[in-house]
Amino acid sequence: MACTAQDDRNDRKSGASAVRRTEAIKRKKWANHEQSACSSKSEGGSMLVEDACLIADRLACPACRGPLAVDHDRMRCTAPECSQNAEPFASLGGKPVLIDFERSYIDRAAIIETGGASPLDRRERSPLVSRILHGCNHASPHFAQRLIESLARDRVDPTILVIGGGRVGSGADALYQDQRVRVIALDVYASPLVTVVADGHRLPFADGSIDAVWVQAVLEHTLDPMAIVAEMHRVLRPDGLVFANVAFMWPIVEQNYDFTRYTASGLRWLFRDFDVEAMGFSSGPGTGVVNAVRYLAQSLFRNEKLGSLATLPFLWLRWLDRFCGNRRGMDAAPAPFFYGRRRECGITPRQLIAFYDEQPDLIRAAHRLRS
C-alpha cells in the first residue's frame, strides 16, 4: 500500500522524536555512567562499556553508515532510505545486534533462535589447567599496558575497541581493569563481556570514532580479514593504535570457523595501511613443537584428553621460546603479532619484499618495548 503524505509527516515526526529521546537518554545514562565509573574506579571494577546506549554517538548503521537513534532502549537507523530504518535492530540479553544480515555470513534466524549463543563450545577450562596445557601469551600483557600508557598520555577519555571480545584474550586483562581507558567489545555472539553483537566485516561505528583496536587470535577465523582491517582503519582516529595477534603455524582450533594463517610478512601486508612500531611473536618454535606433539598424540589415540596427557612430558619445550627472539625464531613462530599506528598511505609491494630484512630490528624493538 502506498504511503500518504500524512504518513510521511508522521514518519518524520517519529524520527525527530526518536532523536530527541536519544539525546535525553544519552544525557541521563552518561550521568549514571559517570557515577558508576567513579564507583568502579574505587572498587577496581571493569572499564567495559556494558550499555551501548552510552556510546550511541560513536555507533553507526552497519548497512548505510548513518547515525543510530535509541528508540525505547533499542537501536534504529535514522536514515529514511536505509533498509534498517523500518524497525529497530534486534537485542539479545540487552546487547544490540548491529549486523547487516543481507551482507553477513551470520544467519539472522539462527542467532535470534539461539539467543545469540556461540556456535562453538566455549566452556572455560580451569585457568590452571589451561595455563599448563596451553601456556599463556607473554607478549599481550606488555602491549596492553603500552597501549594504555600511550592513549592515556595522548588522548582524552580514550576508547579501545576489542574485536572478538566475547572472552578476554590471554594477557589482555589490563585493558578491562585500567581506569584511564574505556573498552567497547564486540563479537558475533552474545556474551556478558560484549557491548554489541556485530560482524567485524561491517563495523557499526562512525568514521574516526575509536582510539585503538585490539584484535587477538581473531583474524584467522574470519572470511575476509582484509575487509576487517579496512574497517579498523576506517573507524580509527588519525594515528590510532592497533595490536593484532594471529596464527601462523598453529593447528585448527575453531573448527568450522578457522580459515587463514599468516607469516610475519603476510601480517605486515594485511596491515599495509599502518605504520609498524614493533613486531614479534607471542608463541615461539618451542610452543610449535608442543602443539605438533599434542595433535599427533590426539590423532594416534583418537582421543583429545589422552593426547593432551601424552604431551605433558614435552611441555618444558615452551620454555625455549624465550631464547628464540631472532631471525629463525620468527620464521618458525606459531603466532606473530603486529603493533602499529594508522597511516594514510600504505606500503608498496617492493617495500613488503624489503620488509623481511627489517624484521630482526622490529623484534629487537618489541623486546625493548616489553622491558
Side-chain angles (χ1 to χ4, degrees):
M1 182 181 295
C3 293
T4 64
Q6 182 63 41
D7 291 334
D8 291 338
R9 286 193 293 271
N10 290 340
D11 287 343
R12 286 194 294 271
K13 288 179 181 179
S14 175
S17 298
V19 172
R20 286 194 295 271
R21 284 197 300 272
T22 298
E23 296 302 319
I25 291 171
K26 281 166 55 180
R27 286 193 295 270
K28 180 178 179 181
K29 294 198 172 199
W30 267 117
N32 293 337
H33 173 65
E34 293 300 325
Q35 182 177 358
S36 63
C38 292
S39 174
S40 67
K41 289 178 182 180
S42 62
E43 298 171 5
S46 170
M47 301 313 293
L48 171 70
V49 177
E50 298 182 21
D51 187 348
C53 293
L54 300 174
I55 56 165
D57 57 332
R58 297 175 188 260
L59 295 174
C61 175
C64 73
R65 313 286 191 220
L68 300 182
V70 181
D71 191 355
H72 296 94
D73 287 332
R74 292 180 65 184
M75 300 287 179
R76 184 179 58 79
C77 181
T78 60
E81 68 281 1
C82 180
S83 60
Q84 303 293 335
N85 176 262
E87 61 181 63
F89 287 93
S91 179
L92 295 170
K95 312 292 185 180
V97 182
L98 302 182
I99 298 174
D100 179 10
F101 289 104
E102 293 182 3
R103 298 177 179 173
S104 177
Y105 72 94
I106 301 169
D107 183 74
R108 188 182 193 280
I111 196 171
I112 299 300
E113 288 173 5
T114 62
S118 171
L120 300 178
D121 182 0
R122 298 193 181 276
R123 287 175 293 183
E124 296 283 354
R125 283 192 179 96
S126 159
L128 178 60
V129 172
S130 180
R131 184 180 179 89
I132 292 173
L133 291 179
H134 303 289
C136 58
N137 190 314
H138 295 288
S140 56
H142 300 278
F143 284 95
Q145 197 59 47
R146 181 167 184 82
L147 193 71
I148 292 167
E149 296 295 337
S150 296
L151 293 175
R153 182 180 62 248
D154 300 334
R155 306 286 188 185
V156 177
D157 189 27
T159 299
I160 301 170
L161 172 63
V162 178
I163 299 176
R167 294 188 296 181
V168 177
S170 175
D173 306 77
L175 302 178
Y176 297 81
Q177 297 168 355
D178 199 289
Q179 305 163 7
R180 295 171 293 175
V181 297
R182 290 190 300 156
V183 169
I184 300 171
L186 67 83
D187 214 318
V188 295
Y189 64 95
S191 156
L193 292 173
V194 302
T195 311
V196 298
V197 178
D199 182 349
H201 296 86
R202 299 280 296 180
L203 291 174
F205 298 97
D207 295 1
S209 60
I210 301 295
D211 296 295
V213 174
W214 185 273
V215 55
Q216 182 180 0
V218 170
L219 291 171
E220 61 267 33
H221 307 301
T222 63
L223 290 174
D224 190 351
M226 283 194 174
I228 292 180
V229 173
E231 281 289 272
M232 292 162 55
H233 190 274
R234 178 183 66 81
V235 304
L236 277 170
R237 302 185 196 279
D239 291 329
L241 289 163
V242 63
F243 176 83
N245 204 176
V246 298
F248 172 36
M249 289 195 285
W250 203 282
I252 298 294
V253 291
E254 290 278 298
Q255 302 171 24
N256 311 57
Y257 303 93
D258 211 319
F259 307 111
T260 313
R261 295 294 183 267
Y262 288 96
T263 63
S265 293
L267 183 59
R268 181 67 187 99
W269 186 244
L270 185 63
F271 284 89
R272 57 185 174 273
D273 292 325
F274 293 77
D275 281 323
V276 56
E277 295 193 2
M279 284 193 76
F281 52 83
S282 57
S283 300
T287 298
V289 173
V290 173
N291 286 341
V293 170
R294 177 181 294 113
Y295 273 69
L296 172 63
Q298 290 175 346
S299 177
L300 292 174
F301 293 132
R302 308 293 198 272
N303 185 288
E304 290 191 15
K305 291 183 178 180
L306 285 177
S308 294
L309 287 173
T311 310
L312 292 177
F314 302 93
L315 295 182
W316 65 273
L317 290 169
R318 292 198 304 246
W319 180 73
L320 298 178
D321 286 352
R322 64 188 63 197
F323 303 107
C324 298
N326 51 37
R327 167 78 279 161
R328 299 305 288 171
M330 190 70 173
D331 287 345
F337 67 78
F338 174 94
Y339 181 76
R341 291 183 180 271
R342 182 186 186 277
R343 62 185 288 179
E344 293 302 329
C345 299
I347 64 171
T348 66
R350 289 184 179 180
Q351 289 173 315
L352 175 67
I353 301 303
F355 174 73
Y356 182 82
D357 297 324
E358 301 169 8
Q359 290 176 24
D361 289 337
L362 291 168
I363 295 171
R364 287 189 284 271
H367 281 291
R368 287 195 297 270
L369 291 176
R370 292 168 60 177
S371 61

